Amino acid sequence: MDNRGKIHKHFIDLAEQYPGLALIEGNYDTWIVRGMLEFSATYEGVSIRDKFQIELTITKDYPDTPPIVKEIAGRIPKEFHTNPDGAFCLGAPLEVRMKFIKNPSLLGFVNEQVISFLYSFCYFEQHGEMPFGELSHGGKGVLEYYTQLFNASSDVIAIELLKILAENNYRGHYDCPCGNGKRIRNCHGGLLRNINSYQTQMEFLYDYIQCLTYLQKVGKELPKSLFSETLMNYINKHSQGLNKNEKSGVNAIRIK
Amino acid sequence: MANDIVSQYNKLLEKLSNELDISESHFKEAEERYKAIGKWLLRDNSSVSQYNPDIYPQGSFRLGTVIKPKTDEEKYDIDLVCELDITKGQVSQKQLKEMVGEEIIAYAKAYNMNSLPENKRRCWTLNYAEGAQFHIDILPALPNGDSFLSFLESKRISANWTELAIAITDKTHFNYDRIAEEWPCSNPKGYAEWFKERMKTQFDIQRKSFAESIRASIEDVPEYRVKTPLQRAIQILKRHRDMRFFGHNLEDDKPISMIITTLSAKLYQNESDVYSTLKNILEQMDAHAVLLSSVVSLSESLRSQHLIERKSDGTWYIPNPVNPEENFADRWHENDNRKARAFFQWVSWVRSDLIEVLRQADIKKISESLGHHFGESITKKASAGLYIASAPTILTRMKDDIPNVEIRNPSKPWSIGG
């Protein structure tokens, strides 16, 4: 089936459960789902029922890439976990992608990721606290996510593991950076290879730059190997196409 | 229960036809290419721009029954008409062919195509470079509405859409290189109108429901986005034919797409689903198999349909609905009715592969069996999600009953800034 047919089908499944939504054809092979999302959701016995005006943007890479989602009636303030363009930061980028790829459909995406985000917001409105916790902003949050994902004992260890993916330099027989004395293949190797299939090297590199920038900013003492020549070359080579935000991150590393 | 399996099977057939569709990107690419040729013919120093060249698709592209090639190595054939506003009194067939040819050759050179266009019997063939999945056939033509009408009238034949008829060129025609009134003719636009008329009821329904599903107005839904059960059935039948005859000793005699399309459209009763459409079409086609025997004749009711006729001299007749002079089955009697036998053999194959398969009680088994006839990967794609989507409990939703989502393993929200 072509993408138009696929999106149409996925939309029908979504609209069956959320009849307030409409599918609109956008420019440049994008599609927009817009309208009222009325939901009821339960977490640990606490139910919330509410509705939001939302907009999902489906890019031409769908379903390899998850949709981008915004609230369009201005109820959710910008400071609440949104990007500068208003898109929800549903979670760490890798996590959002991993969840989406496991069930790449509009309904899956809304039920598994969008509703929990809206639930978080409603709960926060009512109780002033986040029901599932939250990640810090920017690089700090990304690093928190990787630290948790790798179950690493320190953020430096997490970034050393991330470096393997950013450099695309997995060597199973090397010692695992986590320091428990095993080789990578008998330790974090399986996990690394698994998550490697969800993002491109460039995306890991970008996550890496963010984490590294953050660690430098807070004055953490860092091993020299984190600034390896290979990585610096990658960063130089690819920094031309980056946006302003990303460039400032790159420059911060270059200055070193 | 029986109804359940029919509706699941219908879903499967519908999805199968979606899989057979040309991809959106290929469709757009084809569209861009033919528009580029049109632009080229209209450019300032084009030698034919004074004749207002009109380039338009014909055949399966126009009818919405195009199917993906079986493999990536095979190509889509795109048939275009290039109609010049000129008369038979001004040029011979040969001159028209060469006028169009000169510009097509210039086009191929300007765009650095690997090989020059080929001068075929009726058309020019543009071969795109490696990697492009297209051949484009361009059929030079001029308008022929009036003389076609008087021609048919002289034969006491009435037909619709004659005003859309065109005269075309044929290297083997006795008038090919002289100015003459008698040319081969064709009517692809008229045929497309006839075809559309045959499925109009379902077309309007489907277009309306598609518009509603995306909350757009009916006019906003382009015609090519709407697919009726008839179009889907034809796509399925064409692919079934290609697969079943592949490597078979009757392969060279397999039924042509025009016959499958014409007979299916004639038999279509505006059924609302693919399965009923196929069932009806195939039963009626099959009933004509008695024509192979010289002793049995058709029942009166079948004869009155004028679907497939057998003349007293043993030849066959399947008329083009907009030009009864054109017989799609003109070679069916050759080699002991080899093409006719291939056709009816195929009809009985499809009946058993697509209709009788429903005796299987299990949609999973049915899709496995379709896999044998349509290829495993395409059938797998078509049946993805089907078993779940058609689980026995179909939830009908009360108006203010919003399904509850149980949140499991939620993500912690994040943000870029900071």
Side-chain angles (χ1 to χ4, degrees):
Chain A
M1 195 189 322
D2 63 21
N3 225 25
R4 162 180 60 83
K6 187 176 281 164
I7 289 167
H8 186 197
K9 285 271 187 279
H10 286 186
F11 172 73
I12 302 264
D13 292 342
L14 178 70
E16 237 166 66
Q17 197 163 350
Y18 302 104
L21 301 174
L23 179 68
I24 302 146
E25 185 162 11
N27 294 326
Y28 312 109
D29 294 329
T30 60
W31 290 78
I32 310 253
V33 172
R34 191 184 289 150
M36 189 61 85
L37 180 77
E38 192 169 7
F39 68 92
S40 156
T42 310
Y43 180 67
E44 293 183 343
V46 180
S47 289
I48 289 181
R49 188 176 162 161
D50 212 323
K51 51 186 178 185
F52 288 84
Q53 286 280 357
I54 62 149
E55 181 182 286
L56 300 180
T57 305
I58 301 163
T59 64
K60 67 175 195 299
D61 303 328
Y62 181 89
D64 294 332
T65 313
I68 297 157
V69 52
K70 292 178 188 182
E71 189 260 334
I72 50 178
R75 178 169 157 200
I76 300 181
K78 275 208 147 182
E79 305 73 55
F80 187 87
H81 299 287
T82 56
N83 281 344
D85 65 354
F88 295 172
C89 290
L90 301 165
L94 173 63
E95 184 181 23
V96 173
R97 185 175 282 256
M98 279 168 75
K99 282 189 175 170
F100 179 70
I101 296 300
K102 278 181 191 140
N103 180 4
S105 68
L106 293 175
L107 184 61
F109 178 68
V110 167
N111 278 350
E112 286 156 26
Q113 307 209 51
V114 177
I115 290 195
S116 64
F117 184 91
L118 295 172
Y119 180 101
S120 247
F121 175 74
C122 296
Y123 190 95
F124 182 78
E125 266 189 335
Q126 290 166 24
H127 306 281
E129 57 181 80
M130 299 292 283
F132 331 123
E134 61 192 319
L135 293 172
S136 304
H137 293 295
K140 188 178 180 202
V142 177
L143 190 56
E144 284 166 10
Y145 171 71
Y146 278 108
T147 309
Q148 195 188 338
L149 178 71
F150 291 135
N151 199 10
S153 57
S154 80
D155 43 15
V156 175
I157 285 171
I159 197 171
E160 283 184 323
L161 284 161
L162 176 58
K163 176 173 169 260
I164 294 171
L165 301 175
E167 271 186 324
N168 193 17
N169 184 29
Y170 177 83
R171 297 282 183 276
H173 59 282
Y174 284 13
D175 290 342
C176 191
C178 76
N180 77 353
K182 290 191 211 163
R183 293 182 168 185
I184 297 184
R185 76 162 73 90
N186 300 323
C187 189
H188 277 84
L191 180 60
L192 286 173
R193 290 201 338 234
N194 177 19
I195 63 177
N196 197 28
S197 60
Y198 290 98
Q199 284 198 151
T200 62
Q201 187 196 351
M202 274 311 297
E203 285 162 328
F204 283 115
L205 184 63
Y206 180 53
D207 286 351
Y208 181 81
I209 293 171
Q210 289 198 78
C211 297
L212 196 59
T213 314
Y214 161 72
L215 287 174
Q216 276 189 301
K217 210 168 73 186
V218 296
K220 193 101 178 182
E221 194 143 316
L222 298 168
K224 276 234 159 59
S225 65
L226 290 181
F227 302 89
S228 78
E229 204 175 313
T230 330
L231 272 170
M232 292 304 118
N233 283 341
Y234 274 133
I235 290 169
N236 284 329
K237 204 167 117 198
H238 293 290
S239 60
Q240 278 122 7
L242 301 180
N243 69 29
K244 207 175 111 201
N245 240 348
E246 294 162 330
K247 271 201 175 128
S248 72
V250 170
N251 285 332
I253 296 173
R254 273 221 202 96
I255 289 161
K256 167 106 191 172
Chain B
M1 197 58 209
N3 274 335
D4 255 16
I5 198 125
V6 175
S7 75
Q8 289 182 1
Y9 184 44
N10 251 319
K11 252 187 209 164
L12 179 60
L13 291 171
E14 208 171 285
K15 291 173 86 172
L16 179 65
S17 78
N18 288 337
E19 291 297 333
L20 294 174
D21 262 344
I22 181 170
S23 72
E24 180 86 0
S25 57
H26 274 123
F27 183 88
K28 284 202 170 135
E29 202 182 331
E31 206 180 20
E32 275 162 21
R33 287 194 178 174
Y34 94 70
K35 285 188 175 153
I37 297 170
K39 239 180 162 172
W40 174 263
L41 297 176
L42 279 167
R43 80 195 188 289
D44 282 344
N45 52 352
S46 148
S47 58
V48 296
S49 65
Q50 52 181 313
Y51 305 114
N52 299 317
D54 184 15
I55 283 254
Y56 52 85
Q58 62 160 330
S60 61
F61 244 82
R62 190 176 188 107
L63 304 175
T65 55
V66 64
I67 53 173
K68 252 183 210 139
K70 285 204 305 295
T71 64
D72 290 344
E73 289 84 55
E74 292 171 66
K75 306 205 170 193
Y76 288 100
D77 284 316
I78 298 172
D79 295 319
L80 301 179
V81 176
C82 173
E83 192 175 330
L84 299 189
D85 208 354
I86 197 169
T87 66
K88 287 186 269 189
Q90 291 170 277
V91 288
S92 68
Q93 294 176 38
K94 187 169 185 227
Q95 283 169 316
L96 176 65
K97 181 78 173 280
E98 283 167 1
M99 281 163 69
V100 173
E102 197 181 307
E103 283 301 327
I104 301 295
I105 291 169
Y107 175 81
K109 283 184 176 157
Y111 288 91
N112 289 321
M113 288 191 190
N114 287 352
S115 60
L116 285 181
E118 291 170 70
N119 187 349
K120 298 276 185 65
R121 184 171 151 197
R122 295 195 177 94
C123 65
W124 290 95
T125 298
L126 268 177
N127 291 309
Y128 284 86
E130 291 295 309
Q133 247 196 313
F134 298 106
H135 290 300
I136 292 190
D137 283 346
I138 299 167
L139 186 77
L142 52 82
N144 194 35
D146 297 340
S147 59
F148 186 59
L149 182 60
S150 51
F151 162 75
L152 288 179
E153 274 172 353
S154 74
K155 302 228 166 198
R156 296 172 189 272
I157 296 168
S158 74
N160 290 324
W161 296 291
T162 48
E163 70 280 5
L164 300 170
I166 52 175
I168 59 174
T169 73
D170 182 338
K171 282 204 268 190
T172 64
H173 193 267
F174 58 96
N175 276 338
Y176 184 64
D177 40 22
R178 58 179 168 221
I179 292 191
E181 196 43 41
E182 198 176 337
W183 285 42
C185 55
S186 180
N187 192 357
K189 269 188 183 166
Y191 185 91
E193 290 303 312
W194 169 81
F195 185 81
K196 251 166 76 181
E197 181 99 345
R198 291 295 312 147
M199 59 180 195
K200 187 170 187 322
T201 310
Q202 275 301 317
F203 183 86
D204 291 345
I205 294 173
Q206 307 269 339
R207 193 180 194 184
K208 185 159 173 265
S209 80
F210 185 81
E212 277 166 5
S213 77
I214 59 169
R215 291 178 175 70
S217 68
I218 292 176
E219 298 73 44
D220 290 343
V221 178
E223 292 194 2
Y224 77 90
R225 296 235 154 149
V226 181
K227 265 175 73 184
T228 64
L230 172 65
Q231 289 164 308
R232 292 177 189 279
I234 291 171
Q235 288 181 305
I236 290 170
L237 291 173
K238 280 163 60 175
R239 173 54 54 93
H240 180 276
R241 167 204 59 188
D242 294 342
M243 301 293 284
R244 261 302 199 155
F245 281 100
F246 184 69
H248 194 278
N249 62 1
L250 286 172
E251 185 167 10
D252 293 337
D253 298 291
K254 67 183 184 185
I256 56 174
S257 294
M258 273 313 268
I259 288 184
I260 295 178
T261 306
T262 303
L263 297 181
S264 301
K266 268 191 164 174
L267 290 167
Y268 185 50
Q269 298 297 322
N270 277 302
E271 288 90 352
S272 61
D273 65 87
V274 186
Y275 171 71
S276 320
T277 304
L278 284 169
K279 188 164 183 280
N280 165 43
I281 289 173
L282 292 165
E283 274 168 11
Q284 307 261 6
M285 283 180 178
D286 208 10
H288 286 76
V290 295
L291 287 170
L292 278 171
S293 142
S294 50
V295 285
V296 190
S297 56
L298 279 188
S299 67
E300 190 51 43
S301 67
L302 287 180
R303 213 178 314 156
S304 64
Q305 293 183 356
H306 298 292
L307 198 69
I308 304 172
E309 289 171 45
R310 188 96 192 257
K311 306 279 182 200
S312 50
D313 62 0
T315 58
W316 300 78
Y317 179 59
I318 301 176
N320 179 337
V322 295
N323 177 11
E325 274 292 290
E326 185 178 357
N327 178 10
F328 292 138
D330 57 351
R331 296 179 55 201
W332 271 29
H333 60 281
E334 293 172 7
N335 301 320
D336 190 20
N337 303 305
R338 203 172 153 89
K339 285 189 163 45
R341 283 186 290 122
F343 175 80
F344 289 111
Q345 171 64 65
W346 169 71
V347 171
S348 85
W349 280 337
V350 208
R351 271 192 86 172
S352 96
D353 296 346
L354 290 181
I355 305 301
E356 279 152 36
V357 68
L358 206 55
R359 292 213 190 107
Q360 306 258 23
D362 179 352
I363 189 72
K364 224 169 171 170
K365 289 224 172 81
I366 293 176
S367 83
E368 271 168 30
S369 138
L370 284 197
H372 303 316
H373 309 303
F374 291 90
E376 249 175 55
S377 80
I378 204 166
T379 317
K380 249 193 196 141
K381 277 191 211 158
S383 52
L386 197 68
Y387 314 131
I388 308 154
S390 51
T393 42
I394 293 162
L395 298 167
T396 36
R397 174 153 164 215
M398 308 299 280
K399 265 203 172 131
D400 36 34
D401 170 29
I402 299 166
N404 188 64
V405 175
E406 190 73 41
I407 297 178
R408 288 189 193 91
N409 184 25
S411 308
K412 292 175 179 170
W414 171 71
S415 79
I416 282 181

